[in-house]
Amino acid sequence: MEVTSVSRKDQRLSRVAPAIFVITQEDIRRSGATNIPDLLRMVPGADAAQINANAWAITARGFNAGFGNELLVMVDGQAVYTPTFGGVFWDVLGFPLEDIERIEAIRGPGGSVWGANAVNGVINIITKKASETKGAIREDYVAILNAGQKALNLTSKMRRPLRNPGHGIRGEKVCHLASKFAIAALGSLLVIAGGRWVSAQSNPSGEYQVKAAFLFHFAQFVDWPPEAFKDAASPLTYCTVGEDPFHGALDASLNGKTIDGRPVRVLHFKLPQEVQPCQILFLGAPEKKSLSATLVNLGASPVLTVGESQDFIEQGGMIGFLWEDNKVHFEINLEAAERAKLKISARLLTLAKKVIGGPKGT
């Protein structure tokens, strides 16, 4: 077996000096793990502790804390460590575990090669070649992470010091930084997906993987009224009507995810009248004939409607996908959202191709 994380070039594992542990694809398959932090529990000398539903404290050599600023984490050699708060957004490393070729973990100083942040070790997640993976956007995932990284680094230069002695970074700032990351990721997806959209048109599976990624990010910029949920522990529910156009891609994309502390679930219904209470309803192109009736039945219910049929927002839908200039875009009907007591973030509005129903002059 060859590794690349020790000297930035291919070397046989048996010939490298540092203490390095490799988690292979076979190890991943046999582990039963559902996310990357769980996999890292296999690494000798690594501490992997879960703080809450979507936050982990991971480091090496016994120096664990909520903000591990002495462990460098990379995906294919590109750092995903965020110096703004000293850690990694582990919950957004959402690519499938089957797309990982191996994970190389170095326990011990790697600063001479990777920089000062690698004092306690290096974790390099090596993914498979795009030709060996399923889907149309996996090869661009690191580019999205890098865009988010740049946005976070920029805000760190513009912001006063964020740390409280003995308490790390304040919780509300972490949320703000997560929001910055998400909007950067969504903006990058708009650019990156454009290059993949032509091929996605001839590959329905790839097209709906792109749309599933958008649906996940949309939810991060919408506020639902309290009555939209049964209680504080209720999940955020996505629904589809008719034949599932995602063919499992939406379920796979959202599996294990949380948004604002709520677990995410996906439900599929054959008929519009069967739809149970949900927060996000996706209406595929085949549902265009019954679109008007479905929207009328929803009335002012706090449900974010997302569709892909032509003139979707003009017919009363809230967010509509469209394809223009070989790129994926989306439009927003702000009036329809406000009628359902949904608040759409201005950050999301700025990325929309068109917004209708907003205040005059906006």
Side-chain angles (χ1 to χ4, degrees):
M1 178 183 294
E2 293 187 338
V3 295
T4 60
S5 301
V6 176
S7 58
R8 298 195 186 200
K9 64 180 181 181
D10 292 339
Q11 291 180 291
R12 292 189 62 83
L13 180 61
S14 59
R15 299 183 64 85
V16 298
I20 183 170
F21 184 84
V22 179
I23 302 175
T24 66
Q25 175 56 226
E26 181 65 15
D27 295 330
I28 295 172
R29 187 180 67 83
R30 292 176 177 270
S31 69
T34 58
N35 54 52
I36 293 173
D38 281 344
L39 286 175
L40 297 178
R41 299 179 192 274
M42 303 169 59
V43 179
D47 297 320
Q50 187 165 359
I51 299 174
N52 54 42
N54 59 352
W56 288 265
I58 298 176
T59 189
R61 304 173 71 198
F63 293 93
N64 207 355
F67 307 100
N69 60 353
E70 296 173 339
L71 177 69
L72 182 63
V73 181
M74 299 181 290
V75 175
D76 294 328
Q78 299 292 315
V80 294
Y81 165 82
T82 305
T84 307
F85 76 101
V88 175
F89 287 116
W90 292 101
D91 60 316
V92 300
L93 297 180
F95 45 83
L97 297 187
E98 59 266 24
D99 283 3
I100 298 177
E101 176 66 31
R102 66 185 184 276
I103 299 177
E104 300 176 4
I106 300 175
R107 289 116 48 221
S112 59
V113 175
W114 297 106
N117 187 59
V119 169
N120 286 327
V122 174
I123 294 175
N124 193 6
I125 302 168
I126 311 295
T127 62
K128 295 179 180 179
K129 295 180 180 179
S131 59
E132 300 174 357
T133 64
K134 299 178 181 179
I137 63 173
R138 298 302 180 192
E139 63 184 299
D140 296 314
Y141 192 81
V142 173
I144 296 175
L145 290 172
N146 288 340
Q149 175 80 48
K150 292 176 182 178
L152 288 168
N153 290 343
L154 178 61
T155 59
S156 69
K157 295 177 182 179
M158 301 170 61
R159 201 184 307 278
R160 63 181 183 276
L162 301 179
R163 294 183 179 276
N164 286 337
H167 294 86
I169 190 168
R170 290 194 290 270
E172 62 270 18
K173 294 298 185 181
V174 173
C175 294
H176 183 65
L177 293 175
S179 175
K180 286 285 187 180
F181 180 91
I183 200 66
L186 183 55
S188 299
L189 189 59
L190 280 168
V191 176
I192 294 168
R196 299 290 166 197
W197 199 250
V198 176
S199 61
Q201 294 301 296
S202 59
N203 178 8
S205 175
E207 173 186 347
Y208 284 96
Q209 284 187 345
V210 173
K211 291 180 178 179
F214 273 100
L215 286 172
F216 171 68
H217 288 298
F218 285 160
Q220 299 176 65
F221 299 100
V222 176
D223 289 331
W224 280 265
E227 60 267 23
F229 300 93
K230 183 178 180 180
D231 53 48
S234 297
L236 189 146
T237 304
Y238 288 76
C239 294
T240 67
V241 177
E243 187 68 26
D244 176 20
F246 295 92
H247 296 290
L250 184 61
D251 303 66
S253 177
L254 300 179
N255 181 40
K257 295 289 195 304
T258 60
I259 296 177
D260 289 337
R262 295 182 183 274
V264 175
R265 68 174 178 176
V266 182
L267 300 177
H268 304 284
F269 300 96
K270 291 296 183 181
L271 301 173
Q273 55 267 32
E274 296 177 349
V275 176
Q276 299 175 8
C278 57
Q279 285 71 51
I280 300 177
L281 175 62
F282 181 83
L283 299 165
E287 305 306 312
K288 183 176 181 179
K289 295 180 179 179
S290 60
L291 176 60
S292 297
T294 300
L295 295 177
V296 169
N297 288 336
L298 286 174
S301 300
V303 178
L304 181 71
T305 53
V306 184
E308 58 184 354
S309 57
Q310 188 175 6
D311 300 327
F312 179 77
I313 64 170
E314 282 77 7
Q315 296 183 59
M318 298 178 192
I319 300 181
F321 286 115
L322 69 155
W323 180 47
E324 187 175 299
D325 301 326
N326 291 334
K327 292 183 180 180
V328 59
H329 298 280
F330 61 90
E331 303 173 322
I332 296 177
N333 184 333
L334 190 57
E335 183 179 4
E338 292 177 344
R339 189 163 53 244
K341 299 182 181 179
L342 302 182
K343 295 181 180 179
I344 298 180
S345 169
R347 295 186 180 94
L348 186 59
L349 296 176
T350 60
L351 295 179
K353 179 71 174 181
K354 180 173 70 175
V355 178
I356 67 173
K360 185 176 181 179
T362 63

